[in-house]
Every structure is written in C-alpha cells, then in structure tokens.
Amino acid sequence: MLVLITYDVNTEGNEGKTRLRKVAKICVNYGQRVQNSVFECSLDASQLCMVKNKLLKVINTKTDSLRIYNLGNNYKSKIEHFGAKPTYMPDDTLIF
C-alpha cells in the first residue's frame, strides 16, 4: 500500500534540529522523499506499524506534527503530479 508521511518539526532549539534529522532518517529508510518533509512509502501493514512507532518515539507531540495518509493499493488514481520534479511509481523497479 502507498503511505504518505508528512511532518513538521519545531526547530527553534537544538533538540528540535536533532529530532528533525532523526525523523528524516527514519522516513528515508522507508520511502522516497518527494518534498522537504513529505515521503511516499510503499509499505505493508507491519512496516507501517513499525515506522509509525519509530516516528512517535522521536517527535514531540506538543510542538511537532506528524501526519500519515494511507492511500492503499489503488493509489494511482488518487495522485496527480504537476511541476518540475519528475514523478515515479513506488512499485516500479528502481535501478541505482
């Protein structure tokens, strides 16, 4: 299933900057960055549970925001892309 993870971490202090780096690192391990604080992740139910738990351990729920959108398996009809960055399909083969 395709999951969209977005976050906004308060970086006014050094602790916030550290949290921001940790949140980004967790998200990079599970998906593709499509904007600064937005990741598209192709996950199964157990992976979604794991990434959610990891992120909730890092963020400060009093100052930070975390949003997780489950677009499901039929996500292709729910996404429209406009603009400069090329798009990709999360389930396609990636060549490095």
Side-chain angles (χ1 to χ4, degrees), residues 9-22:
V9 176
N10 183 327
T11 58
E12 290 178 0
N14 287 336
E15 292 174 358
K17 293 174 185 173
T18 300
R19 283 195 318 276
L20 178 63
R21 284 190 299 274
K22 287 180 180 180

Side-chain angles (χ1 to χ4, degrees), residues 8-10 15 19 23 55-65:
D8 186 19
V9 176
N10 183 327
E15 292 174 358
R19 283 195 318 276
V23 168
L55 291 169
L56 289 173
K57 288 179 183 176
V58 173
I59 68 163
N60 179 340
T61 56
K62 293 180 182 174
T63 60
D64 305 335
S65 174

Side-chain angles (χ1 to χ4, degrees), residues 1-2 30-32 40-43 73 75-76 79 86-96:
M1 72 184 121
L2 184 68
Y30 286 90
Q32 174 74 31
E40 289 180 352
C41 308
S42 182
L43 306 172
N73 291 322
Y75 60 88
K76 292 178 184 176
I79 299 173
T87 190
Y88 79 104
M89 298 311 294
D91 294 334
D92 285 349
T93 303
L94 296 176
I95 300 173
F96 295 94

Side-chain angles (χ1 to χ4, degrees), residues 1 4 29 34 44 47 60 65-66 68 77 81-82 85-86:
M1 72 184 121
L4 190 69
N29 289 332
V34 293
D44 60 32
Q47 290 171 319
N60 179 340
S65 174
L66 173 67
I68 299 173
S77 65
H81 175 260
F82 306 97
K85 288 188 177 183

